């Protein structure tokens, strides 16, 4: 058989640190074996210090922690049968603080928060006490983040000692902190009141205020403003500060609709706050579309301390209901509290027992609070009294009876209707039996039948219908040995002695000599000059008393009288003079020495010092503390910040990078303080800029439409010396940042110009600042569109059509293909021009001057006197600015042309003047893959291109050459006085060679004598323009027409190569061919300068007039 005699059931709720025993006693045959399990896992009791298996099978758990909580099972097995019993271990823990409130120093009208974070099991309840009184939550005293106390709009009366008290069933804990309201110190002239305070914008939930500067400071650049506001009729103000100095407007948020608010503005300078403006009353707008009242609100009591309130959704919600606010307060008071509720019911706990409460509910939607419900009143259930009766006293009537008097328990502790009192008494001499007397609701009781000369102890407890409450402490009285006389008053006390102190007097006496008269007690009277100012009564057994709270150096008269039920006896007088109050002024302490500032990071500095008033080991053993203050002189009106510490060092954090701070320390011990120590200085380390450059602007340079100037201002948070900037620009604002073009700017310059951009193209610019620690954030993208291309650019430097492969231009902007009508016009135009050029070349080549050696020098002698004719055709509509102008010198700007690749850069050699022309043409005018590259092919920074020049500025002269003699479509360019002639066919590119006058060149033009006409009569000056063989050849051997222009970055090019003819393979790797070399026998290249020298002026004028007529006809056709 197997029997469980004592089975462990239910649950055990021990407190952490205690021990608990789970009983499990069994009997059986064979002898059963007992084992224990916790949460279905077997416990090992052998050798365990925590778990002990007691005799009979019970389990003892010692030093309980929260980890020991769980379900324990006692399993008994004797081989024939197995039985099991379970019990729950619920560990309880008293409240414990995770974060305690700290002392707060603040000014009036500020908002502060006392933090209080606790833990415990069961979950403790938290309440706040201020100067001994409970803090009732309101609009200005709020409980936030579960247990923190927030005080809004401080006033002087808020100053005091605040306590956070946490309680649960197993204990309580409390912590306190002090709130000190500081006064504003004035050290100089203060500003007058701000002028013209008006509400410029009034809404339902916010009001915007504006004002003018005070009359005392019309500029007001260094003034900050503080706006104080409150509801009308409430003297507690809230405060709102402007965001930056000089700002004269502020918006007050989170106001209530249809409510009158009072505003005033105060200006503040470096000396402190000035005068206040005249109060301004403003009423907010009424709210609309608010929820209606919640219907069917009901409340019922669950227990003596809790009430549940339920309600339904408002019928007119005017939108989605976000939450409800339940308001409640004790009946008869006006301290209403509230709680946010997400559902339609809520149970409020922690209420007073047997007390009436009123409840109402307000629904909230996105517009704010709606209409409140009517109040519902309900009373909590009754309970036993929670306090004992007050002021219990005993009066010995005679040798056999004692009269007992008391008062009801304190208000609020009755917890119901008191139906009577229980009186218990016993002999105090030994542990005797306790007698009990039950009385009604009267507050006295006469206990009779007592023994003579015996001391008795008494206590009283009140009871309600729910039970008996706590009883008073035991108090004792002794019956008389015999029945004394109480038919007359007592005699005078036999002696009276006084001993004065500074603020108190100790009074002692002896009873009257006649002991046969009953003495119920003694009355002590005292006062300055008169003993009747104050009266104190003491028990008849007392023989001394200390009179407290007296004034120093004052003359007091004291009287002592014995009394009984008949009256007071004859008084006994005495006088005394209290001692003077002499407290020496505390001498100041020595200030700390050796203050040092050790820089740890960009925002942290450690301050260390020594204290000469300490022992040599610098060990602090008393209650002294140190105050560290610090500030920076930028800006000049910065105030000191302070912190207290009890060690000889302090870590100052949250400083600004690259900023000089000054530090000083003082020591305080009790009421003694030292002066401030010597000042120590420290500059925080630099940090990468934390803000981008600001005020980024982009403008076009006057006279140079393809050059822009970027201006900016340094970042507001440079955090160090700026060593440079990086400009990013792109035509695609959404491109990856590594695909943007980079322009570096060295130093702290705030402007930079970028050349050779594409006309009529939107560009996006970003700027990034750099210091010794690294790069800061980029600015926002700024868009700028370059000016539109003019007519001459369209005709002489046309943009090529979209390549056959569909790729875009180097900037990512596709060029539109020509329509059929334009293509027809171009073909007709080219045909006419080709016919005219063939006729002119035929005439020139048949002249005898081509065959005469001396003919080429016909006009050599007077070439300086004869001005060549104006070769412009419709130049009034085709004016083009000079292609190559010397950049204007600017000490704050840099020209940074970006070469196509690193191989395009020719090293500078100032000693080789003979090769200057070759170096100037080192950027070969070929259109290879670099010319077709997009922005993705241009990453990183490119070095500057250095162009050497002689000390004497050279005179430039541009010469145009025929570059294609393989077909009837020939076009040439005549350059004179830095102007270019009319060019109509957009797919031809011209080789423009720039020559330098008075600069000899050792390079000669490579040309075959068998293929060159008039080669021997070429001018020496025209021969100085050496030409690099950089033209790309086609597979058929034909020379691709190219235009040799100023080298530039692909992003800045205004022309891209035309698509090679169909069927030809354009191979950049093929050897280059000199552009002045003719590959056929049908025609020969002729320099235009030689043509002009071998042509009579009048003949040339006639031919050009004829050509001009043809061009007018062509333009008319084109216009039509």
């Amino acid at each position: 058989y197997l029997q469980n005699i004592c089975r462990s059931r239910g649950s055990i709720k021990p407190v952490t640190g205690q021990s608990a025993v789970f009983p499990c006693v069994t009997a059986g045959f064979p002898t059963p074996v007992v084992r224990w399990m916790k949460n279905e896992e077997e416990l090992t009791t052998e050798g365990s210090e925590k778990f002990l298996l007691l005799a009979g099978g019970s389990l003892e758990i010692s030093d309980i922690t929260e980890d020991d909580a769980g379900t324990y099972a006692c399993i008994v097995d004797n081989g024939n049968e197995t039985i099991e019993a379970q019990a729950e271990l619920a560990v309880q823990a008293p409240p414990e603080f995770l974060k305690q409130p700290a002392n707060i120093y603040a000014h009036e009208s500020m908002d502060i928060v006392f933090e209080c974070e606790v833990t415990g099991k069961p979950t403790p309840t938290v309440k706040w006490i201020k100067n001994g009184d409970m803090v009732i939550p309101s609009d200005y005293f709020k409980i936030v983040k579960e247990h923190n106390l927030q005080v809004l709009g401080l006033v002087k009366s808020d100053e005091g000692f605040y306590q956070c008290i946490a309680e649960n069933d197993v204990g309580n804990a409390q912590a306190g902190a002090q709130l000190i309201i500081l006064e504003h110190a004035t050290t100089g002239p203060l500003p007058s009141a701000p002028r013209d305070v008006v509400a410029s914008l009034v809404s339902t939930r916010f009001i915007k205020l504006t004002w003018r500067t005070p009359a005392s400071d019309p500029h007001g650049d260094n003034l900050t403003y503080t706006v104080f506001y409150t509801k009308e009729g409430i003297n507690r103000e809230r405060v709102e500060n402007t965001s930056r100095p000089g700002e004269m407007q502020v918006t007050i948020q989170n106001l209530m609709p249809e409510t009158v608010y009072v505003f005033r503005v105060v200006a503040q300078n470096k000396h402190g706050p000035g005068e206040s403006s005249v109060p301004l009353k403003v009423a907010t707008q009424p709210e609309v579309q608010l929820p209606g009242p919640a219907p069917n609100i009901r409340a019922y009591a669950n227990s003596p301390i809790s009430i549940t309130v339920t309600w339904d959704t408002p019928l007119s919600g005017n939108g989605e209901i976000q939450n409800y606010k339940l308001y409640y307060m004790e009946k008869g008071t006006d301290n209403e509290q509230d709680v946010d509720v997400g559902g339609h019911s809520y149970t409020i706990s922690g209420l007073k027992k047997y007390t009436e409460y009123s409840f109402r509910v307000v629904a909230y939607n996105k517009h704010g609070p709606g209409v409140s419900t009517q109040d519902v009143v309900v009373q909590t259930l009754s309970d036993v009294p929670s306090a004992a009766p007050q002021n219990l006293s005993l009066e010995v009537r005679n040798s056999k009876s004692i009269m007992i008097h008391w008062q009801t328990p304190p208000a609020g502790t009755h917890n119901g209707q008191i139906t009577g009192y229980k009186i218990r008494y016993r002999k105090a001499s030994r542990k005797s039996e306790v007698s009990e007397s039950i009385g009604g609701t009267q507050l006295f009781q006469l206990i009779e039948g007592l023994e003579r000369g015996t001391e008795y102890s008494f206590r009283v407890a009140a009871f309600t219908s729910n039970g008996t409450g706590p009883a008073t402490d035991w108090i004792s009285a002794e019956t008389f040995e015999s029945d004394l006389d109480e038919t007359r008053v007592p005699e005078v006390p036999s002696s009276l002695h006084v001993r004065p102190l500074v603020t108190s007097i100790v009074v002692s006496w002896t009873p009257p000599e006649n002991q046969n008269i009953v003495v119920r007690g003694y009355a002590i009277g005292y006062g300055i000059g008169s003993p009747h100012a104050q009266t104190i009564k003491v028990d008849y057994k007392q023989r001394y008393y200390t009179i407290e709270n007296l004034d120093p150096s004052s003359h007091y008269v004291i009287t002592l009288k014995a009394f009984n039920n008949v009256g007071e006896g004859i008084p006994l007088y005495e006088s005394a003079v209290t001692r003077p109050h002499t407290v020496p002024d505390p001498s100041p302490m020595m200030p700390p020495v050796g203050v040092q500032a050790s820089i740890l990071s960009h925002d942290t500095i450690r301050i260390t010092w020594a204290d000469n008033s300490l022992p040599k080991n610098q060990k602090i053993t008393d209650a002294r503390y140190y105050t560290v203050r610090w500030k920076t002189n930028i800006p000049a009106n910065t105030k000191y910040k302070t912190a207290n510490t009890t060690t000889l060092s302090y870590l100052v954090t949250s400083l600004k990078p690259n900023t000089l701070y000054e530090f000083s320390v003082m020591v305080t011990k009790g009421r003694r303080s030292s002066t401030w120590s010597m000042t120590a200085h420290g500059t925080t380390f630099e940090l990468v800029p934390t803000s981008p450059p600001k005020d980024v602007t982009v403008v076009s340079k006057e006279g140079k439409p393809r050059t822009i100037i970027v201006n900016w201002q340094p970042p507001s948070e440079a955090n160090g010396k700026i060593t440079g900037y990086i400009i990013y620009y792109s035509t695609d604002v959404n491109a990856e940042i590594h695909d943007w073009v980079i322009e570096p700017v060295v130093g702290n310059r705030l402007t930079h110009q970028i050349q050779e951009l594409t006309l009529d193209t939107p560009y996006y610019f970003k700027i990034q600042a750099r210091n010794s620690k690294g790069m800061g954030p980029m600015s926002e993208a700024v868009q700028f569109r370059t000016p539109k291309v003019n007519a001459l650019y369209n005709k002489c430097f046309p943009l090529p059509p979209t390549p056959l492969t569909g790729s875009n231009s180097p900037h990512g902007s596709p060029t539109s293909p020509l329509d059929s009508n334009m293509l027809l016009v171009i073909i007709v135009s080219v045909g006419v021009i080709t016919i005219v050029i063939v006729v002119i070349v035929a005439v020139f080549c048949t002249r005898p001057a081509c065959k005469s050696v001396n003919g080429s020098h016909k006009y050599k002698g007077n070439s300086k006197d004869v001005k060549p004719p104006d070769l412009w055709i419709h130049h009034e509509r085709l004016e083009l600015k000079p292609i190559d102008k010397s950049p204007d010198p600017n000490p704050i700007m840099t020209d940074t042309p970006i070469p196509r690749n690193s191989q395009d850069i020719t090293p500078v050699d100032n000693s080789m003047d003979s090769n200057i022309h070759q170096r100037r043409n080192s950027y070969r005018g070929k259109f290879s893959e670099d010319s077709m590259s997009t922005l993705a092919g241009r990453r990183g920074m490119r070095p500057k291109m250095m162009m050497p020049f002689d000390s004497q500025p050279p005179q430039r002269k541009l010469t145009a050459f025929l570059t294609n003699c393989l077909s009837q479509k020939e076009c040439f360019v005549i350059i004179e006085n830095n102007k270019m002639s009319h060019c109509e066919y957009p797919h031809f590119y011209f080789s423009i060679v720039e020559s330098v006058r008075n600069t000899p060149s050792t390079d000669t033009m490579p040309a075959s004598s068998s293929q060159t006409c008039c080669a021997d009569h070429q001018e020496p000056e025209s021969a100085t323009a050496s030409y690099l063989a950089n033209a790309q050849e086609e597979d058929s051997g034909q020379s691709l027409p190219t235009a040799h222009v100023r080298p530039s970055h692909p992003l800045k090019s205004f022309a891209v190569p035309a698509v090679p003819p169909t069927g030809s393979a354009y191979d950049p790797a093929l050897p280059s061919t000199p552009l002045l070399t003719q590959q056929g026998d049908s025609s020969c290249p002729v320099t235009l300068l030689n043509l002009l020298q071998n042509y009579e002026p009048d003949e040339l004028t006639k031919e050009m007039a004829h050509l001009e007529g043809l061009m007018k006809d062509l333009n008319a056709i084109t216009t039509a």
Side-chain angles (χ1 to χ4, degrees):
Y1 70 96
L2 183 62
Q3 183 180 6
N4 190 350
I5 299 175
C6 184
R7 177 173 297 182
S8 179
R9 294 183 180 180
S11 63
I12 301 178
K13 298 180 180 180
V15 181
T16 55
Q18 296 180 350
S19 298
V21 176
F22 283 103
C24 185
V25 180
T26 61
F29 183 84
T31 303
V33 177
V34 178
R35 57 190 178 92
W36 286 86
M37 299 186 70
K38 174 190 175 184
N39 297 333
E40 299 182 356
E41 294 182 5
E42 188 165 356
L43 284 178
T44 302
T45 57
E46 295 182 2
S48 175
E49 297 180 358
K50 177 177 285 291
F51 302 100
L52 178 62
L53 190 61
L54 303 177
S58 298
L59 178 66
E60 180 181 6
I61 306 174
S62 59
D63 194 15
I64 290 177
T65 63
E66 293 184 10
D67 296 334
D68 297 329
T71 302
Y72 289 79
C74 174
I75 301 176
V76 183
D77 185 8
N78 68 347
N80 296 326
E81 186 180 357
T82 301
I83 59 176
E84 178 182 349
Q86 292 184 350
E88 194 78 16
L89 178 64
V91 179
Q92 295 181 325
E96 183 179 355
F97 283 99
L98 300 178
K99 183 179 291 186
Q100 298 187 8
N103 293 339
I104 296 178
Y105 301 83
H107 294 279
E108 288 190 59
S109 301
M110 292 178 59
D111 300 340
I112 59 99
V113 175
F114 281 110
E115 295 184 334
C116 182
E117 195 173 334
V118 297
T119 182
K121 285 189 177 181
T123 302
T125 59
V126 175
K127 61 182 178 180
W128 284 88
I129 303 294
K130 175 200 169 186
N131 296 335
D133 297 328
M134 180 177 294
V135 175
I136 304 300
S138 64
D139 290 341
Y140 298 96
F141 285 83
K142 296 185 176 182
I143 304 299
V144 296
K145 294 183 179 179
E146 293 186 359
H147 305 310
N148 296 342
L149 176 63
Q150 182 183 38
V151 184
L152 303 178
L154 293 178
V155 295
K156 189 65 178 178
S157 60
D158 293 334
E159 191 176 56
F161 189 73
Y162 290 78
Q163 291 176 284
C164 176
I165 300 178
E167 297 176 315
N168 63 7
D169 295 339
V170 295
N172 60 72
Q174 62 178 344
Q178 194 172 5
L179 172 61
I180 298 176
I181 306 297
L182 302 176
E183 300 289 343
H184 291 282
T186 302
T187 59
L190 301 176
S192 59
R195 298 173 292 175
D196 301 336
V197 179
V198 295
S200 60
L201 184 61
V202 178
S203 180
T204 58
R205 298 283 175 173
F206 68 89
I207 293 177
K208 182 179 180 180
L209 298 178
T210 58
W211 58 87
R212 293 172 54 211
T213 56
S216 62
D217 194 349
H219 296 290
D221 296 334
N222 297 323
L223 295 180
T224 58
Y225 297 88
T226 302
V227 178
F228 298 89
Y229 66 97
T230 181
K231 292 182 181 179
E232 188 179 26
I234 297 178
N235 60 355
R236 183 182 292 272
E237 290 183 318
R238 301 288 305 279
V239 63
E240 185 77 24
N241 296 319
T242 54
S243 58
R244 60 180 182 273
E247 186 177 19
M248 290 179 290
Q249 65 178 14
V250 71
T251 300
I252 309 298
Q253 304 280 355
N254 301 323
L255 302 180
M256 296 298 296
E258 208 169 359
T259 305
V260 178
Y261 288 87
V262 181
F263 300 88
R264 62 185 184 92
V265 183
V266 176
Q268 183 170 349
N269 59 13
K270 62 181 179 180
H271 303 298
E275 299 178 10
S276 172
S277 66
V278 178
L280 174 67
K281 292 184 179 181
V282 183
T284 53
Q285 299 290 337
E287 190 74 275
V288 295
Q289 297 182 350
L290 297 175
N296 301 328
I297 180 172
R298 298 175 298 275
Y300 55 90
N302 298 327
S303 68
I305 60 171
S306 64
I307 293 176
T308 298
V309 184
T310 62
W311 60 89
D312 295 336
T313 304
L315 300 178
S316 57
N318 290 326
E320 181 182 358
I321 301 297
Q322 295 180 344
N323 69 303
Y324 298 90
K325 183 163 286 190
L326 174 61
Y327 295 89
Y328 64 97
M329 67 177 179
E330 183 181 345
K331 194 75 178 295
T333 65
D334 43 355
N335 295 324
E336 190 174 47
Q337 305 179 49
D338 60 80
V339 60
D340 291 329
V341 182
H344 294 84
S345 65
Y346 190 79
T347 300
I348 300 177
S349 303
L351 303 178
K352 294 181 180 179
K353 300 176 180 179
Y354 200 66
T355 304
E356 285 187 335
Y357 286 88
S358 63
F359 301 88
R360 64 186 181 93
V361 177
V362 176
Y364 279 71
N365 62 8
K366 64 180 181 180
H367 300 292
V371 182
S372 174
T373 63
Q374 296 294 327
D375 289 352
V376 176
V377 179
V378 66
Q379 187 179 48
T380 53
L381 301 180
S382 62
D383 198 3
V384 298
S386 55
Q390 304 177 90
N391 301 329
L392 177 64
S393 62
L394 304 178
E395 178 185 345
V396 180
R397 287 293 181 95
N398 49 45
S399 59
K400 293 185 179 181
S401 62
I402 296 177
M403 176 67 73
I404 306 174
H405 294 272
W406 65 88
Q407 293 178 349
T408 60
T413 62
H414 295 185
N415 302 335
Q417 189 69 35
I418 294 180
T419 57
Y421 295 91
K422 291 183 179 180
I423 303 169
R424 295 182 179 183
Y425 60 95
R426 68 185 182 191
K427 292 181 180 179
S429 59
R430 62 183 183 272
K431 296 294 183 181
S432 58
E433 294 182 359
V434 177
S435 301
E436 185 175 272
S437 174
I438 298 178
T441 58
Q442 73 274 8
L443 302 178
F444 59 89
Q445 182 77 23
L446 179 63
I447 305 299
E448 297 179 315
L450 304 179
E451 297 180 4
R452 295 176 180 267
T454 305
E455 185 178 6
Y456 286 87
S457 297
F458 298 85
R459 67 189 305 181
V460 180
F463 61 87
T464 64
S465 59
N466 300 87
T468 304
T472 62
D473 294 333
W474 291 97
I475 63 172
S476 301
E478 184 179 354
T479 56
F480 297 142
E481 289 287 345
S482 59
D483 293 333
L484 301 178
D485 183 14
E486 200 174 2
T487 59
R488 51 181 178 162
V489 297
E491 295 183 359
V492 62
S494 57
S495 66
L496 174 62
H497 303 281
V498 294
R499 184 165 63 91
L501 299 176
V502 178
T503 59
S504 62
I505 297 176
V506 179
V507 181
S508 59
W509 63 89
T510 56
E513 294 180 357
N514 187 358
Q515 300 290 326
N516 296 323
I517 302 176
V518 176
V519 176
R520 300 292 182 184
Y522 297 92
I524 303 173
Y526 65 94
I528 298 178
S530 172
H532 307 296
Q534 299 284 342
T535 300
I536 299 173
K537 291 185 177 182
V538 297
D539 187 75
Y540 73 96
K541 293 183 179 180
Q542 197 162 335
R543 295 293 181 263
Y544 67 90
Y545 182 80
T546 302
I547 305 174
E548 303 284 355
N549 301 322
L550 304 180
D551 296 332
S553 303
S554 299
H555 185 272
Y556 285 89
V557 178
I558 302 168
T559 180
L560 177 69
K561 296 179 288 185
F563 67 89
N564 56 19
N565 292 335
V566 178
E568 295 179 346
I570 302 173
L572 186 63
Y573 293 90
E574 190 63 70
S575 64
V577 178
T578 53
R579 297 180 184 180
H581 183 70
T582 57
V583 178
D585 295 333
S587 59
M589 300 185 67
M590 295 179 61
V593 296
V595 180
Q596 294 182 351
S598 302
I599 293 86
L600 302 182
S601 66
H602 65 275
D603 63 348
T604 305
I605 296 180
R606 180 181 294 277
I607 309 302
T608 58
W609 59 88
D611 192 347
N612 286 342
S613 61
L614 292 176
K616 290 184 178 181
N617 60 3
Q618 293 288 291
K619 186 175 181 180
I620 301 174
T621 58
D622 50 18
R624 70 180 63 197
Y625 66 92
Y626 301 88
T627 302
V628 182
R629 72 175 184 180
W630 65 92
K631 65 170 290 189
T632 178
N633 292 327
I634 303 175
N637 59 351
T638 304
K639 293 185 178 180
Y640 279 103
K641 293 183 178 181
T642 60
N644 296 331
T645 180
T646 56
T647 61
L648 296 176
S649 65
Y650 185 75
L651 200 65
V652 183
T653 58
S654 301
L655 302 178
K656 296 181 180 179
N658 193 40
T659 304
L660 175 64
Y661 287 88
E662 62 178 39
F663 304 89
S664 54
V665 187
M666 69 177 295
V667 59
T668 302
K669 179 181 177 182
R671 295 189 300 163
R672 300 174 60 198
S673 298
S674 71
T675 58
W676 290 104
S677 67
M678 299 289 288
T679 302
H681 295 82
T683 302
T684 52
F685 293 150
E686 291 187 0
L687 182 68
V688 296
T690 53
S691 66
K694 56 185 180 181
D695 300 335
V696 180
T697 59
V698 182
V699 296
S700 178
K701 187 173 183 181
E702 184 177 359
K704 290 188 176 182
R706 294 172 59 201
T707 301
I708 59 95
I709 299 175
V710 184
N711 302 301
W712 64 90
Q713 291 298 319
S716 56
E717 297 174 359
N719 299 335
K721 181 180 179 181
I722 297 298
T723 59
Y725 297 87
I726 291 182
I727 302 175
Y728 298 80
Y729 65 96
S730 172
T731 58
D732 184 7
V733 71
N734 297 320
E736 294 292 333
I737 194 61
H738 55 262
D739 291 334
W740 291 49
V741 181
I742 296 175
E743 286 280 347
V745 179
V746 180
N748 57 357
R749 292 182 293 102
L750 302 178
T751 184
H752 185 75
Q753 72 177 21
I754 302 175
Q755 299 177 336
E756 304 300 334
L757 299 182
T758 304
L759 296 175
D760 195 20
T761 302
Y763 285 82
Y764 300 89
F765 297 83
K766 295 182 180 180
I767 303 183
Q768 188 178 27
R770 178 180 70 247
N771 60 15
S772 61
K773 292 297 183 181
M775 308 299 300
M778 292 185 185
S779 65
E780 294 293 330
V782 176
Q783 182 183 5
F784 179 79
R785 178 179 286 274
T786 52
K788 291 185 178 181
V789 62
N790 54 31
L792 190 54
Y793 268 104
N794 280 335
K795 293 186 178 181
C796 290
F797 297 92
L799 293 175
T802 305
L804 296 177
T805 57
S807 63
N808 293 339
S809 65
H811 302 301
S813 300
T815 57
S816 302
L818 299 175
D819 56 15
S820 58
N821 293 333
M822 183 61 68
L823 183 60
L824 179 60
V825 172
I826 291 174
I827 293 175
V828 174
S829 302
V830 172
V832 174
I833 294 175
T834 303
I835 295 173
V836 173
I837 292 176
V838 169
V839 172
I840 295 175
V841 172
V843 173
F844 287 168
C845 289
T846 56
R847 288 180 59 84
C850 270
K851 300 175 183 179
S852 175
V853 176
N854 299 326
S856 62
H857 302 280
K858 183 176 181 180
Y859 293 98
K860 183 176 182 181
N862 57 356
S863 60
K864 297 182 179 180
D865 300 330
V866 179
K867 182 179 180 182
D870 189 0
L871 301 182
W872 280 101
I873 301 174
H874 302 300
H875 60 277
E876 69 276 7
R877 290 185 294 174
L878 301 175
E879 183 176 355
L880 181 66
K881 295 197 175 182
I883 304 281
D884 190 3
K885 283 193 350 185
S886 300
D888 296 334
N890 193 333
I892 64 169
M893 301 182 186
T894 60
D895 294 340
T896 313
I898 302 180
R900 290 186 174 90
N901 49 51
S902 60
Q903 287 78 9
D904 289 342
I905 300 175
T906 304
V908 177
D909 188 358
N910 295 327
S911 64
M912 299 177 65
D913 292 341
S914 60
N915 294 331
I916 188 170
H917 201 72
Q918 181 179 353
R919 292 195 299 272
R920 290 177 59 83
N921 290 299
S922 61
Y923 281 73
R924 297 192 291 270
K926 60 184 179 180
F927 288 88
S928 59
E929 299 101 349
D930 293 339
S931 299
M932 299 297 292
S933 63
T934 61
L935 289 177
R938 282 285 296 115
R939 303 175 186 170
M941 295 182 291
R942 297 291 188 266
K944 287 187 177 183
M945 182 181 70
M946 306 297 296
M947 304 295 286
F949 294 94
D950 295 336
S951 59
Q952 180 66 23
Q955 300 296 325
R956 295 195 181 103
K957 174 178 138 185
L958 297 180
T959 307
F961 301 93
L962 285 176
T963 61
N964 195 341
C965 297
L966 301 180
S967 65
Q968 297 299 323
K969 297 179 179 179
E970 297 178 342
C971 182
F972 62 90
V973 178
I974 299 175
I975 301 299
E976 182 182 34
N977 297 329
N978 288 334
K979 293 186 178 180
M980 184 176 293
S981 70
H982 188 64
C983 306
E984 285 291 321
Y985 188 51
H987 291 277
F988 272 91
Y989 293 84
F990 312 103
S991 298
I992 303 171
V993 182
E994 183 178 359
S995 64
V996 182
R997 292 186 181 180
N998 301 327
T999 305
S1001 174
T1002 59
D1003 299 341
T1004 59
M1005 185 67 61
S1008 175
S1009 61
S1010 61
Q1011 297 175 350
T1012 305
C1013 179
C1014 307
D1016 295 336
H1017 310 287
Q1018 191 171 354
E1019 276 288 313
E1021 276 191 5
S1022 63
T1024 60
S1026 38
Y1027 212 89
L1028 294 179
N1030 57 1
Q1032 305 299 330
E1033 292 184 343
E1034 301 178 0
D1035 290 344
S1036 60
Q1038 295 182 355
S1039 176
L1040 179 68
T1042 61
H1044 189 72
V1045 296
R1046 185 180 183 215
S1048 63
H1049 186 272
L1051 184 65
K1052 306 172 186 175
S1053 302
F1054 58 83
V1056 295
V1059 180
T1062 306
S1064 65
Y1066 177 55
D1067 188 0
L1070 293 178
S1072 60
T1073 304
L1075 294 179
L1076 295 182
T1077 303
Q1078 183 63 34
Q1079 299 294 336
D1081 297 330
S1082 60
S1083 62
C1084 63
V1086 180
T1087 64
L1088 296 180
L1089 186 60
N1090 286 339
L1091 294 177
L1092 294 175
Q1093 291 173 345
N1094 298 330
Y1095 208 70
E1096 293 293 335
D1098 52 351
E1099 294 176 348
L1100 183 59
T1101 303
K1102 292 179 181 180
E1103 294 294 338
M1104 294 309 298
H1106 178 64
L1107 180 60
E1108 185 175 1
L1110 293 176
M1111 295 306 299
K1112 288 182 177 179
D1113 297 337
L1114 179 60
N1115 287 337
I1117 296 173
T1118 305
T1119 305

